[in-house]
């Protein structure tokens, strides 16, 4: 076994180190070959440097996973059904001309829809050709002139709170409606395709089959056609 290396120091330096309580292992010598001489021994003991502790690693930051987006709310599917009917408009045109009024057929369409739909027509939502709509409550009890005034009013900013029956007219020629949609919350809609001077019209009734049975919807469109073709009945 190798003997531990002896620190090089003069005898006087060793004596001073003992008296002052200094460890020569901590003293750097300035003499030849690093020999410690008396002048190298400090007056007070040399402090042993504290060991340098490695810095503790920073705590890991756990980033929570983003919350899952809520599942979209899907409206339940509705069973939509539709029926079409051809309507003769000549009797209505003759009736309007004989009355001397300048009413369009729209007021009579609204009144006929309210009469034929019964409880489902307690409120009519008339879709304006230029966009927007107006709600006409109790149209069944209103005269055509009053309905015409309401139809010409400014469109409402938002849809009415109640589920009104929707009625509209598409003023084009040569088009036959075969299908249509229902706005949310609406169970019944009548769409009439007829120009302003047309002799005939095509009417389509669209309904929610879960709310209005098909035989009831067929009865509504039949009564609607009969009322338009015999306009005197609209005034009774």
């Amino acid at each position: 076994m190798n003997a531990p290396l002896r620190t090089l120091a003069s005898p006087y330096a060793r004596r001073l180190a003992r008296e002052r309580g200094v460890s020569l292992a901590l003293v750097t010598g300035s003499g030849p070959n690093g020999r410690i001489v008396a002048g190298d021994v400090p007056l007070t003991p040399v402090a042993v440097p504290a060991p340098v502790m490695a810095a503790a690693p920073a705590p890991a930051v756990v980033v929570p996973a983003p919350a899952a987006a809520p599942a979209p709310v899907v409206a339940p599917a509705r069973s939509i059904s539709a029926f079409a009917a051809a309507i003769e408009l000549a009797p209505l045109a003759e009736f309007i001309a004989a009355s001397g009024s300048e009413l369009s057929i729209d007021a009579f369409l609204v009144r006929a829809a309210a009469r034929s739909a019964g409880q489902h027509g307690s409120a009519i939502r008339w879709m304006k050709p230029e966009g927007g709509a107006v709600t006409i409550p109790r149209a069944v009890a209103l005269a055509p002139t009053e309905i015409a005034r309401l139809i010409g009013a400014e469109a409402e900013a938002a849809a009415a709170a109640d589920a009104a029956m929707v009625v509209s007219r598409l003023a084009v020629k040569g088009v036959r409606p075969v299908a249509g949609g229902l706005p949310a919350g609406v169970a019944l809609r009548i769409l009439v395709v007829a120009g302003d001077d047309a002799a005939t019209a095509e009417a389509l009734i669209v309904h929610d089959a879960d709310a209005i049975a098909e035989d009831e919807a067929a009865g509504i469109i039949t009564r609607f056609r009969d009322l338009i073709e015999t306009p005197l009945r609209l005034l009774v």
Side-chain angles (χ1 to χ4, degrees), residues 58-65:
V61 177
V62 179
V63 179

Side-chain angles (χ1 to χ4, degrees), residues 79-81 187 207-214:
S79 177
I80 306 299
S81 184
H207 68 103
D208 184 342
D210 295 328
I212 301 174
E214 290 188 339

Side-chain angles (χ1 to χ4, degrees), residues 2 18 29 44 47 58 63 77 81 87 120 134 140 151 157 227 236:
N2 295 330
R18 286 195 299 271
T44 58
V63 179
S81 184
I87 302 176
H120 303 296
V134 291
V140 68
I151 286 176
L227 287 170
V236 177

Side-chain angles (χ1 to χ4, degrees), residues 37 126 163 168 192 229:
V37 297
W126 174 259
S168 59
V192 178
E229 292 182 346

Side-chain angles (χ1 to χ4, degrees), residues 12-38:
Y12 184 46
R14 291 183 183 279
R15 181 165 65 86
L16 290 177
R18 286 195 299 271
E19 294 175 353
R20 297 175 182 176
V22 175
S23 173
L24 292 177
L26 302 177
V27 178
T28 301
S30 60
N33 298 322
R35 182 184 178 88
I36 299 173
V37 297

Side-chain angles (χ1 to χ4, degrees), residues 84 86 174-179 193 202:
V175 175
R176 174 173 294 177
V178 295
V193 179
E202 296 285 345

